[in-house]
Amino acid sequence: MNRVQRLLIASTLSATLVAAVPASADIAVVVNANSGIDHLTRSDAVNIFMGRYRKLPTGNVALPVDSASLKARFYRALVNKDLAEINSYWARLVFSGEASPPQQIASSDDVHQLVLQNMNALSYVDSAHVPDDMHVVLTLGE
Amino acid sequence: MKRLLPVCAGLAMAVLACSAEARPLTDDGRLTFSGFGTLGLIHNNLDEADFTRDISQPKGAGEGWSARTDSMLGAQVGYRFTDELDTVVQGISRYHDSGDFSPEVSWAYLRYRPDPGVQLRVGRLGWDVYQLSDSRYVGYAYPWVRPPVDHFGTLQLTYIDGVDVTFKQPVGSDLVLLKLYTGRSDGHVFIGEGIEADFDVDKVYGGHVDYETGPWRFRAGYTEVESGITFSGDVPDQLDAQFDQIRAFNPFFDLTADGVLGDAFGFDRLKLYSLGAVYDQGPFQLQAMWNRSKTSADGAVDSGFVSAGYRIDRVTPYLVYSQVETTSDGEGGSEGDFKQKTYSVGARYDVTANMALKAQLDRVHIQRPGFLWRDIDSDWNGGWGSIFSLGLDFIF
């Protein structure tokens, strides 16, 4: 093996390693696999999670669900804001009675259950661990 | 000051123990409780006049320190009957027209949302006359210690008892919003030394159109307020005493202080035109608003402000410029008119995800003293004042 070949193998190996063990995975916005929703745009997701306009492509009212363990990463990826800023944003809307924040769920198992039970629910999971019965409608890069 | 410190510490600990969201009180999550508050300290360097946050405050912050102007506490209880129908009751305790912190019901309404594009509310509602006007007491929601006084301080009402309806329509990835409202209200404001006005609002109606595109939110609004006005204080009392003396000789003399002052101020019918723009993208926050309020006596209150903030980790430094000017006869600059400009610099520090500490310095250029100040020295004709403020805002 000459030096060029060795370099190529080394770089291929390291690329494979990086792909297999992502330093930080992306965030997947998910719905029930049977909801009939194929795809959402980023602005759809902003409208729904930020309480601006909560209509799904199916015509139904969206039920956004915040998952406590991923919440900070999700809003950083969606609108580039931290949780204090998100709380500040909601303080304005809640205390003026304009809109209500997403439902807050502490455990990711409960989020999973809720999405399985409700065709209008949407939440988010780590894109490296999407359960089979959930459908990814949007992936947010981190 | 010393009495306030243990209260501060106690509240801070209570807040730290709470989560940031409206907490469900029942297992089914139908009943929720949440709240907001501010502990504010203000230092005024002027001995000629006392600083107020708005025209409903009978006393201002005099020379030295005061905790009265900005401190407040609000709480909200919500109950969800169905996904479409819910009710909200919100109360607030702040220093207001009664001269104390007596709590009042700020909102109490039934909300019906049959569709994501339609919302109907009935009951006591926030007066959504400008952008941010119906959340102006929720310190945690904005970067400043208080919303720019030149712009928000002249508002006559806080709520309306009536109905509002909001329509939302997406246009591509943008959103158009139309809100219409009508109702009754009342308010009590301090116009100047020895003169107060009581607004019995028979009819308040108006609406606004919002256009949201990306990080921008634009608004154009129009509101009319029709009221019966009753004046009180030394000025109308002395006027009425003089009119009574004339009436003793001439029984047909029919002037009253309410009539004369009412004609002079023209508060019985107000028309408010407003424009606003808000930009909120990642760490950037920009706000710009303008308002013209016309009275039936051809007078006007013109106000506006521009604010810019940039968040760096937990700290958001900001700059604000605001101004307000009244003209009593369309000509401008006459005796009794009010004019000032304010240059503010400050910073918000997010201590936790539900508590923020703020410091702000306002350099106020009072060109003609007037109704946002109290206890004004009679020989004072304005100048520069420095207001330094500290605020601790929290939600629970």
Side-chain angles (χ1 to χ4, degrees):
Chain A
M1 271 201 298
N2 63 26
R3 275 174 62 188
V4 177
Q5 278 175 315
R6 274 205 301 269
L7 258 175
L8 271 173
I9 289 166
S11 64
T12 314
L13 263 176
S14 58
T16 315
L17 277 172
V18 168
V21 191
S24 74
D26 294 336
I27 300 266
V29 179
V30 291
V31 296
N32 187 310
N34 300 316
S35 66
I37 305 160
D38 179 49
H39 172 78
L40 290 178
T41 64
R42 176 182 282 263
S43 76
D44 290 336
V46 171
N47 282 345
I48 291 169
F49 279 94
M50 302 302 277
R52 290 179 2 142
Y53 188 72
R54 286 187 173 148
K55 191 178 260 187
L56 291 167
T58 55
N60 292 333
V61 180
L63 177 75
V65 178
D66 270 335
S67 179
S69 57
L70 277 177
K71 191 175 172 184
R73 280 175 59 196
F74 173 69
Y75 284 101
R76 178 59 73 195
L78 186 70
V79 288
N80 189 23
K81 288 186 180 298
D82 67 26
L83 288 183
E85 291 172 284
I86 295 296
N87 286 343
S88 174
Y89 171 88
W90 279 111
R92 176 174 66 81
L93 294 174
V94 167
F95 295 117
S96 62
E98 293 298 335
S100 312
Q103 195 170 332
Q104 306 295 311
I105 304 279
S107 103
S108 52
D109 286 344
D110 290 347
V111 170
H112 192 176
Q113 282 305 312
L114 212 152
V115 171
L116 289 191
Q117 286 160 13
N118 193 322
M119 293 295 167
N120 301 323
L122 65 167
S123 192
Y124 39 83
V125 297
D126 193 307
S127 64
H129 309 286
V130 181
D132 291 340
D133 42 18
M134 283 180 165
H135 172 64
V136 177
V137 288
L138 174 69
T139 303
L140 300 167
E142 289 191 290
Chain B
M1 198 45 217
K2 272 184 184 146
R3 274 183 306 151
L4 207 70
L5 283 174
V7 180
C8 283
L11 264 170
M13 278 191 286
V15 166
L16 281 170
C18 291
S19 77
E21 286 87 26
R23 272 154 307 120
L25 294 178
T26 49
D27 286 343
D28 59 6
R30 288 177 181 275
L31 186 68
T32 55
F33 176 75
S34 52
F36 59 92
T38 299
L39 284 165
L41 265 185
I42 201 165
H43 184 273
N44 178 5
N45 79 329
L46 288 170
D47 63 354
E48 294 93 345
D50 298 351
F51 178 86
T52 62
R53 179 190 178 102
D54 60 49
I55 52 176
S56 80
Q57 297 189 325
K59 284 185 184 166
E63 195 181 14
W65 292 93
S66 168
R68 187 167 51 200
T69 310
D70 294 312
S71 297
M72 59 187 77
L73 186 66
Q76 184 189 88
V77 176
Y79 187 79
R80 185 165 51 85
F81 299 102
T82 67
D83 286 343
E84 290 83 29
L85 188 71
D86 68 342
T87 184
V88 172
V89 177
Q90 186 168 309
I92 189 167
S93 165
R94 64 183 185 97
Y95 181 68
H96 61 141
D97 55 41
S98 59
D100 55 22
F101 282 80
S102 57
E104 63 178 349
V105 175
S106 41
W107 334 142
Y109 57 79
L110 206 58
R111 174 168 56 182
Y112 179 57
R113 288 179 285 193
D115 178 274
V118 183
Q119 172 175 281
L120 182 74
R121 299 190 302 175
V122 181
R124 180 165 289 189
L125 311 163
W127 195 34
D128 193 11
V129 61
Y130 306 162
Q131 264 171 325
L132 312 185
S133 69
D134 58 353
S135 53
R136 63 189 189 270
Y137 303 122
V138 189
Y140 189 79
Y142 42 75
W144 323 293
V145 168
R146 72 189 76 80
V149 168
D150 294 342
H151 192 67
F152 292 93
T154 60
L155 282 174
Q156 303 83 3
L157 311 175
T158 54
Y159 56 77
I160 64 169
D161 292 328
V163 187
D164 69 12
V165 58
T166 309
F167 300 99
K168 290 180 184 176
Q169 177 63 47
V171 180
S173 59
D174 300 343
L175 193 67
V176 180
L177 184 149
L178 171 71
K179 183 171 184 175
L180 301 169
Y181 57 86
T182 182
R184 301 168 59 92
S185 186
D186 49 62
H188 189 88
V189 303
F190 293 76
I191 304 169
E193 293 306 301
I195 180 162
E196 303 168 20
D198 203 51
F199 282 68
D200 181 7
V201 183
D202 306 317
K203 225 190 279 181
V204 46
Y205 53 93
H208 53 80
V209 178
D210 286 26
Y211 189 76
E212 301 191 15
T213 177
W216 287 99
R217 256 187 8 252
F218 300 99
R219 174 183 290 193
Y222 177 73
T223 294
E224 285 200 21
V225 185
E226 295 177 20
S227 319
I229 310 285
T230 314
F231 292 91
S232 58
D234 290 345
V235 174
D237 286 352
Q238 283 164 15
L239 262 181
D240 270 331
Q242 286 170 16
F243 292 157
D244 283 344
Q245 283 175 5
I246 300 172
R247 229 182 321 273
F249 299 101
N250 176 2
F252 297 105
F253 184 82
D254 64 351
L255 290 183
T256 61
D258 276 343
V260 170
L261 293 169
D263 287 346
F265 286 109
F267 289 158
D268 55 319
R269 194 179 173 97
L270 300 171
K271 298 178 178 183
L272 291 84
Y273 306 82
S274 64
L275 293 174
V278 173
Y279 176 87
D280 185 0
Q281 171 86 300
F284 276 110
Q285 287 184 47
L286 292 172
Q287 276 118 338
M289 290 179 206
W290 170 86
N291 178 74
R292 160 162 281 198
S293 302
K294 296 279 287 178
T295 70
S296 67
D298 220 19
V301 181
D302 289 295
S303 66
F305 77 94
V306 186
S307 166
Y310 188 86
R311 187 176 169 93
I312 305 154
D313 197 15
R314 288 176 168 208
V315 183
T316 310
Y318 56 85
L319 293 169
V320 191
Y321 169 75
S322 62
Q323 62 175 49
V324 59
E325 180 173 11
T326 67
T327 45
S328 45
D329 53 7
E331 301 294 312
S334 64
E335 191 93 359
D337 276 328
F338 171 54
K339 185 177 184 181
Q340 73 178 25
K341 296 172 175 172
T342 308
Y343 304 83
S344 308
V345 56
R348 168 185 173 133
Y349 174 71
D350 281 290
V351 184
T352 64
N354 54 7
M355 187 161 60
L357 194 61
K358 299 166 182 174
Q360 180 173 319
L361 177 68
D362 302 304
R363 285 283 290 157
V364 191
H365 187 199
I366 305 113
Q367 285 152 301
R368 287 191 292 272
F371 65 164
L372 282 170
W373 297 86
R374 300 284 173 270
D375 201 15
I376 302 170
D377 284 0
S378 55
D379 59 349
W380 191 55
N381 53 16
W384 284 89
S386 292
I387 309 293
F388 178 71
S389 315
L390 291 170
L392 180 72
D393 297 299
F394 50 89
I395 52 170
F396 56 92

